[in-house]
Amino acid sequence: VIEPFMTQGGSYSSEMTTKPTRLAIKNEAENGLANDRYSVAMARTGEVDSATDQFFINTADNDFLNNGVRDFGYTVFGHVTDGRDVVDEIARTPVTNNLPNEAVVIRSVRRQ
């Protein structure tokens, strides 16, 4: 949790242990979707095509993460349309070194 910026997930289990990394996928940041507040994007390293199983929810408009602004960008693949209050609550979670003091578990996601 880095406020006011984003909340990241996917790399830890509910027991707060790291999970095995999956194979990297192609970066599709040129898809025209923006890293606006409540958008969901793939996390990656400095390598363009390095996204694996980590994602983040933007808790602010992060235009600098968009394709072509400073580099290739971060692929937005979804948007929180319902439950934004939950995203805001997660963003207020007490953290130590950007990790929540207690596990935050996303139990379900629905496609609309």
Side-chain angles (χ1 to χ4, degrees):
V1 177
I2 305 171
E3 220 7 65
F5 176 38
M6 58 88 151
T7 61
Q8 185 166 321
S11 58
Y12 289 90
S13 71
S14 58
E15 290 80 31
M16 298 298 287
T17 58
T18 56
K19 297 189 306 188
T21 302
R22 297 177 184 250
L23 295 175
I25 60 173
K26 181 181 178 336
N27 188 322
E28 298 178 355
E30 77 278 27
N31 63 14
L33 301 176
N35 281 279
D36 294 333
R37 187 173 185 194
Y38 301 116
S39 63
V40 184
M42 291 301 298
R44 64 175 176 86
T45 67
E47 184 70 30
V48 172
D49 294 325
S50 63
T52 57
D53 54 355
Q54 296 182 40
F55 65 93
F56 60 94
I57 302 171
N58 288 287
T59 56
D61 290 339
N62 293 314
D63 295 338
F64 69 98
L65 298 178
N66 293 335
N67 177 256
V69 174
R70 67 174 191 185
D71 63 13
F72 196 80
Y74 292 75
T75 304
V76 172
F77 65 91
H79 203 269
V80 178
T81 57
D82 191 29
R84 290 179 172 180
D85 57 324
V86 175
V87 172
D88 295 338
E89 186 68 27
I90 293 170
R92 290 189 293 272
T93 300
V95 298
T96 302
N97 297 324
N98 296 333
L99 289 175
N101 296 341
E102 294 183 30
V104 175
V105 178
I106 297 173
R107 297 194 189 277
S108 68
V109 176
R110 289 184 297 249
R111 182 179 177 166
Q112 288 189 325

